[in-house]
């Protein structure tokens, strides 16, 4: 695993890269590398064994410079177009988790020609009437002074999930983990606090533009982004299949890494 | 020279929550269900509260203070400007302080500029214009993203003052509030513009912006242990850095008090109201029980580097004001001063001496405190505490700020303000 900090339009982008072969770009979510942890989780490592796995940190996250001119998802998409140019990536496979999934979908509708295959994991981004995405910001406020149980409950299948407790412990956690969590919330609040929350109304009317075969992976008990969002993505993206992972919540890539990577690798190598 | 200015601050809490509220609800803010609003009991509530402020004016307080909060039981003034308008008709002496309109919550800052200008005219020049950014709960109430709040706030504040002082129509080519035609009708009465007060919690950036503009800094902390005089020193240092000099009327603090004939009587009389305030009103705000909405990673309005520094000094689950469990702990927090006139005068006098503060904004009505007790406390304060405070502070300020030219308390009529 190598870490680099590259310059993109005068701002630094924190980059983790590992493996060889066809480029596989990964856009992270909340319970993930860059947004909590500094290094790969088992999920990423497995994928890096079979591809050139590249994971940038979103603007303002980890060591990526903040950009206070990011007001909407559009600004993040244009940032990533610059990142692609800096990395000289013209066509690649793309995986996006959660907020990263939203960014991936927005990238794909604008530049379908760049993406060979697309994987969306627990992806935000859609307006689905009657199915609001959860309020991660409210859940991130501690209860009883120091409990993050309700945040863990939202992002995982259970508040006492071992991975959840490691990433979002009660009380005081690892300082830099907590700073990364804060940075992710700050970036997310720029694009996802309004409208409430994490959707772009226009996106669902653009999904038909996605040309690549698409796999939509969802935890069976996702309490952050409801199942109907997976179904909507699957229905509106032309060449899409939906895979539900049993016994997992929103952070399916952390809770069930083996099952999730198996689905992805079979799909990518199809 | 003038003595310490004494204001009466009303928060207008919802006083009719049942005794099991703390058990059943996790917050008094944002998500507190509004089916708890009692249609029958609440009739006349705004009248009662407004009349208490009018009474304060009659008692000779230097002004009345209002503030803006939304969707909560701590303060029922989503629009303090409406109460201020009522006060312009029912009072004619004291200042009317709105501390403050929450600028990032307004789609158009000119709405604030216009309403404040109207209020200044309607009150014959008694408005003190507060601008505030709004806290965590307001972010949730109005879906206002946090990261650029500070910049948005200052663009709005500067636009408002510009509209008060510069000939219109002019174009404001703003990042957040671009407007092609800014042309304020009416104009405010006070010249060059009504005094502007800004609350802060000791961030150097807020102090700097306040100092640069000549405004008054209001320390938005309810607790006055050592931090208050340290805050004053910090502000004084920032003023000097910008070629200005500290004087007591550039600084204000919020505190609460209950005065009765004896210390013991004071505690007995205010106990229910104080504890309602601490346990119910502060739940979701300055209490760790339930879900705290005011400060935390879910309202990420400071840069990550500042958050890291905060985390280093942070003790999870440390007690906040609403977590005190008995009178001793409450007393140690130095935020609600309860006692006889002598006790209260001594404690506040001590604070003025150390913190050199010229504006005391005092909350008298707490929680579900009944009308007659709030009034009794206010009356005792004005008759037996205020004179001592005025006498001592006049002496102190005259000695410590001898070369300060401060206009004496204005008589009726147009009030000359210098922006502070």
């Amino acid at each position: 695993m190598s870490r680099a900090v590259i310059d993109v339009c005068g701002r630094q982008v924190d980059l983790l890269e590992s493996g060889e072969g066809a480029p596989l770009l990964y856009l992270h979510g909340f319970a993930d590398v860059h947004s909590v942890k500094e290094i790969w989780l088992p999920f990423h490592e497995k994928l890096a064994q079979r591809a050139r796995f590249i994971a940038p940190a979103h603007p303002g996250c980890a060591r990526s410079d903040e950009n206070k001119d990011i007001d909407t998802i559009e600004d993040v998409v244009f940032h990533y177009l610059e990142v692609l140019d800096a990395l000289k990536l013209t066509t690649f496979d793309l995986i996006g988790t959660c907020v990263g999934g939203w960014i991936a979908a927005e990238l794909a509708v604008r530049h379908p020609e760049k993406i060979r295959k697309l994987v969306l994991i627990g992806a935000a981004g859609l307006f689905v009437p009657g199915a609001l995405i959860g309020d991660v910001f409210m859940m991130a406020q501690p209860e009883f002074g120091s409990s993050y149980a309700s945040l863990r409950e939202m992002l995982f299948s259970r508040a006492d999930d071992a991975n959840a407790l490691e990433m979002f412990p009660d009380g005081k956690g690892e300082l830099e983990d907590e700073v990364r969590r804060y940075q992710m919330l700050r970036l997310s609040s720029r694009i996802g606090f309004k409208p409430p929350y994490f959707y772009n109304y226009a996106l669902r009317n653009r999904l038909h533009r996605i040309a690549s075969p698409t796999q939509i992976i969802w935890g069976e008990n996702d309490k952050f982004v409801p199942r109907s969002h997976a179904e909507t993505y699957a229905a509106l993206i032309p060449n899409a299949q939906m895979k539900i992972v049993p016994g997992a919540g929103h952070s399916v890539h952390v809770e069930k890494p083996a099952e999730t990577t198996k689905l992805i690798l079979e799909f990518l190598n199809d | 020279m003038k003595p310490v200015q004494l204001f009466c601050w009303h928060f207008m809490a919802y006083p009719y929550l049942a005794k099991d509220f703390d058990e059943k609800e996790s917050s008094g803010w944002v998500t507190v269900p509004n089916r708890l609003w009692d249609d029958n009991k609440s009739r006349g509530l705004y009248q009662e509260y407004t009349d208490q402020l009018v009474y304060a004016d009659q008692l000779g307080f230097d002004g009345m203070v209002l503030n803006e909060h939304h969707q909560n039981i701590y303060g029922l003034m989503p629009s303090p400007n409406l109460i201020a308008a009522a006060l312009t008709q029912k009072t004619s002496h004291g200042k009317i302080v709105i501390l403050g309109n929450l600028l990032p919550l307004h789609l158009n800052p000119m709405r604030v500029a216009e309403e404040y200008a109207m209020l200044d005219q309607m009150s014959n020049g008694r408005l003190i214009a507060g601008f505030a950014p709004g806290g965590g709960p307001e972010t949730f109430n109005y879906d206002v993203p946090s990261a650029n709040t500070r910049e948005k706030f200052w663009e709005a504040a500067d636009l408002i003052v510009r509209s008060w002082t510069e000939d219109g129509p002019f174009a404001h080519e703003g990042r957040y509030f671009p407007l092609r035609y800014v042309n304020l009708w009416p104009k405010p009465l006070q010249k060059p513009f009504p005094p502007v007060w800004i609350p802060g919690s000791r961030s150097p950036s807020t102090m700097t912006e306040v100092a640069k503009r000549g405004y008054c800094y209001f320390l938005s902390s309810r607790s006055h242990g050592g931090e208050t005089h340290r805050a004053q020193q910090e502000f004084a240092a920032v003023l000097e850095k910008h070629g200005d000099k500290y004087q007591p009327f550039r600084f204000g603090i919020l505190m609460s008090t209950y005065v009765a004939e004896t210390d013991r009587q004071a505690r007995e009389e205010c106990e229910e109201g104080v504890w309602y305030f601490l346990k119910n009103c502060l739940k979701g705000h300055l209490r760790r029980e339930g879900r705290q909405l005011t400060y935390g990673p879910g309202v990420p309005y400071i840069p990550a580097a500042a958050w890291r520094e905060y985390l280093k000094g942070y003790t999870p689950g440390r007690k906040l004001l609403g977590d005190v469990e008995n009178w001793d702990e409450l007393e140690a927090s130095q935020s609600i001063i309860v006692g006889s006139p002598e006790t209260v005068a001594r404690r506040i006098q001590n604070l003025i001496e150390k913190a050199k503060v010229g504006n005391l904004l005092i909350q008298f009505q707490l929680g579900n405190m009944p009308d007659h007790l709030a009034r009794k406390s206010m009356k005792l304060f004005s008759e037996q505490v205020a004179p001592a405070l005025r006498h001592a502070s006049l002496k102190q300020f005259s000695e410590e700020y001898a070369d300060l030219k401060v206009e004496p308390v204005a008589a009726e009529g147009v009030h000359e303000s210098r922006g502070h």
Side-chain angles (χ1 to χ4, degrees):
Chain A
M1 181 193 88
S2 72
R3 157 164 263 128
V5 171
I6 62 170
D7 180 290
V8 176
C9 295
R11 289 194 174 89
Q12 289 192 18
V13 173
D14 192 359
L15 203 62
L16 278 180
E17 194 170 328
S18 186
E20 293 160 351
L24 175 52
L25 185 68
Y26 181 74
L27 299 179
H28 67 87
F30 271 108
D32 219 329
V33 66
H34 297 315
S35 55
V36 184
K37 290 298 173 190
E38 201 180 9
I39 56 171
W40 293 145
L41 302 171
F43 168 79
H44 312 111
E45 276 173 354
K46 252 208 136 62
L47 294 174
Q49 285 165 12
R50 306 280 287 274
R52 180 188 157 212
F53 191 73
I54 308 166
H58 300 322
C61 292
R63 283 168 228 189
S64 289
D65 281 344
E66 189 165 32
N67 180 351
K68 67 176 176 65
D69 289 330
I70 289 178
D71 282 336
T72 69
I73 186 67
E74 181 107 279
D75 300 319
V76 178
V77 172
F78 272 90
H79 163 78
Y80 273 111
L81 292 179
E82 300 291 348
V83 172
L84 295 175
D85 288 350
L87 293 174
K88 301 197 193 338
L89 289 177
T90 46
T91 60
F92 49 93
D93 292 328
L94 177 59
I95 305 178
T97 298
C98 180
V99 172
W102 178 17
I103 301 169
E106 296 272 2
L107 248 175
V109 302
R110 285 168 179 78
H111 286 280
E113 76 289 350
K114 287 188 190 286
I115 298 156
R116 192 187 77 99
K117 288 196 179 173
L118 175 65
V119 179
L120 301 178
I121 305 175
L126 292 182
F127 174 69
V128 177
L132 280 181
I133 297 172
D135 183 355
V136 71
F137 301 102
M138 176 79 81
M139 293 301 113
Q141 295 292 88
E143 289 176 287
F144 317 112
S146 56
S147 167
Y148 293 106
S150 51
L151 179 63
R152 293 193 295 271
E153 179 83 27
M154 173 172 279
L155 295 180
F156 291 80
S157 48
R158 295 184 355 236
D160 59 358
D161 175 283
N163 287 302
L165 283 164
E166 211 274 315
M167 286 184 159
F168 302 94
D170 292 335
K172 233 169 163 165
E174 286 293 319
L175 178 67
E176 291 305 320
D177 282 2
E178 283 202 66
V179 174
R180 278 183 287 267
R181 282 160 48 188
Y182 180 88
Q183 289 173 294
M184 180 64 180
L185 283 164
R186 190 162 151 91
L187 178 269
S188 301
S189 87
R190 290 182 184 282
I191 60 174
F193 212 103
K194 201 179 172 58
Y197 299 104
F198 295 120
Y199 68 78
N200 176 8
Y201 199 83
L203 178 59
R204 59 183 293 156
N205 297 325
R206 298 170 178 168
L207 292 177
H208 65 268
R209 296 182 52 77
I210 296 178
S212 39
T214 302
Q215 185 178 64
I216 294 154
I217 300 177
W218 230 256
E220 184 186 16
N221 301 310
D222 193 325
K223 284 172 251 174
F224 181 40
V225 191
R227 174 77 66 82
S228 52
H229 289 242
E231 290 159 358
T232 308
Y233 269 122
L236 295 177
I237 296 175
N239 188 356
Q241 42 169 291
M242 185 173 78
K243 300 283 188 196
I244 306 298
V245 177
H250 174 69
S251 301
V252 55
H253 63 304
V254 178
E255 298 175 72
K256 301 278 181 194
E259 292 86 334
T260 313
T261 52
K262 183 164 186 286
L263 286 170
I264 293 174
L265 290 170
E266 278 171 4
F267 168 69
L268 290 179
N269 299 320
D270 213 343
Chain B
M1 183 52 70
K2 58 186 179 182
V4 65
Q5 300 292 284
L6 301 167
F7 297 82
C8 176
W9 195 332
H10 214 306
F11 284 75
M12 302 204 177
Y14 180 76
Y16 307 117
L17 298 171
K19 290 212 190 300
D20 62 357
F21 174 80
D22 191 9
E23 232 180 270
K24 290 197 162 155
E25 300 296 338
S26 66
S27 175
W29 297 68
V30 184
T31 54
V32 54
N34 67 355
R35 64 177 154 69
L36 297 177
W37 174 267
D38 186 313
D39 288 322
N40 294 315
K41 292 182 181 166
S42 60
R43 289 195 187 189
L45 182 61
Y46 279 107
Q47 197 66 63
E48 177 177 310
Y49 283 158
T50 305
D51 286 347
Q52 284 172 11
L53 283 167
V54 173
Y55 185 55
D57 190 58
Q58 290 162 353
L59 287 173
F61 281 86
D62 296 298
M64 305 146 274
V65 189
L66 309 167
N67 66 347
E68 177 177 333
H69 285 295
H70 299 261
Q71 305 189 153
N72 72 97
I73 54 95
Y74 167 97
L76 290 171
M77 284 182 281
S79 183
N81 300 3
L82 297 181
I83 306 291
L87 291 174
T88 66
Q89 301 303 295
K90 301 196 88 174
T91 68
S92 55
H93 164 257
K95 301 280 191 279
I96 299 173
V97 186
I98 303 176
L99 192 58
N101 273 189
L102 303 180
L103 302 186
L105 273 58
H106 289 260
L107 288 178
N108 185 352
M110 287 308 296
R111 187 66 177 167
V112 175
E114 291 167 327
E115 291 191 0
Y116 275 4
M118 285 180 70
L119 287 168
D120 202 37
Q121 288 292 340
M122 289 164 68
S123 66
N124 201 23
R126 294 184 285 137
L127 177 73
I128 290 181
F131 302 143
E138 313 310 344
T139 310
F140 291 108
N141 282 324
Y142 265 54
D143 272 337
V144 179
S146 310
N148 287 359
T149 291
R150 243 178 220 174
E151 284 156 352
K152 240 180 137 172
F153 169 79
W154 284 110
E155 181 181 319
D158 289 343
L159 170 60
I160 293 167
V161 174
R162 196 179 160 203
S163 78
W164 285 341
T165 51
E166 192 175 312
D167 285 343
F170 63 81
H172 170 66
E173 297 174 35
R175 162 100 166 77
Y176 301 103
F177 305 106
L179 286 166
R180 187 182 284 273
Y181 304 106
V182 182
N183 187 23
L184 183 68
W185 283 84
K187 295 168 103 164
L189 192 151
Q190 296 177 76
K191 302 295 169 215
F193 52 89
V196 174
W197 289 15
I198 310 267
S201 352
R202 289 174 72 186
S203 82
S205 107
T206 305
M207 286 191 179
T208 300
E209 299 303 325
V210 169
K212 271 165 36 177
R213 291 165 174 76
Y215 300 161
C216 174
Y217 183 80
F218 166 76
L219 181 64
S220 60
S221 166
R222 282 181 172 275
S223 302
H224 300 292
E227 303 78 49
T228 303
H229 84 263
R230 278 195 283 277
Q232 180 272 327
Q233 286 167 352
E234 285 158 11
F235 186 50
V238 169
L239 282 169
E240 250 190 69
K241 213 166 111 181
H242 288 87
D244 202 339
K245 257 184 100 175
Y246 178 84
Q247 47 97 336
F249 307 103
R250 293 292 298 272
F251 190 53
I253 66 174
L254 158 65
M255 53 180 300
S256 313
T257 191
Y258 185 80
V259 190
E261 288 77 349
T262 66
D263 287 346
R264 175 156 158 193
Q265 190 178 342
R267 280 193 179 187
E268 280 168 10
E269 287 177 353
C270 78
E271 176 154 344
E272 187 181 335
V274 165
W275 249 262
Y276 183 109
F277 170 77
L278 291 170
K279 298 305 162 188
N280 297 338
C281 299
L282 293 187
K283 193 168 195 183
H285 175 41
L286 293 176
R287 241 189 113 183
R288 63 172 181 212
E289 293 312 309
R291 190 188 300 278
Q292 216 258 73
L293 295 178
T294 294
Y295 205 63
V299 281
Y301 68 95
I302 62 176
W307 183 253
R308 182 185 284 108
E309 289 315 304
Y310 166 74
L311 283 175
K312 284 180 184 171
Y314 165 66
T315 315
R318 80 193 152 100
K319 281 195 171 183
L320 302 173
L321 176 57
D323 296 307
V324 299
E325 282 165 55
N326 52 55
W327 280 107
D328 286 340
E329 287 185 9
L330 180 59
E331 201 140 296
S333 77
Q334 301 202 56
S335 60
I336 306 179
I337 301 177
V338 174
S340 67
E342 296 73 39
T343 299
V344 171
R346 189 180 7 103
R347 303 265 304 272
I348 299 181
Q349 178 48 32
N350 198 14
L351 183 55
I352 299 174
E353 260 170 38
K354 272 177 108 168
K356 307 181 196 306
V357 50
N359 296 296
L360 289 186
L361 283 57
I362 307 167
Q363 180 180 5
F364 288 91
Q365 194 280 342
L366 285 150
N368 63 351
M369 179 182 293
D371 183 60
H372 71 279
L373 288 180
R375 285 175 178 252
K376 181 161 87 72
S377 172
M378 286 160 62
K379 184 164 195 282
L380 266 176
F381 185 97
S382 76
E383 288 172 353
Q384 296 186 34
V385 179
L389 296 179
R390 289 186 176 122
H391 178 84
S393 62
L394 187 59
K395 184 164 184 289
Q396 175 192 351
F397 295 161
S398 303
E399 282 167 14
E400 291 178 7
Y401 300 95
D403 34 321
L404 171 66
K405 263 215 92 205
V406 166
E407 70 283 3
V409 179
E412 311 301 329
V414 174
H415 181 73
E416 270 288 324
S417 104
R418 247 173 282 119
H420 63 76

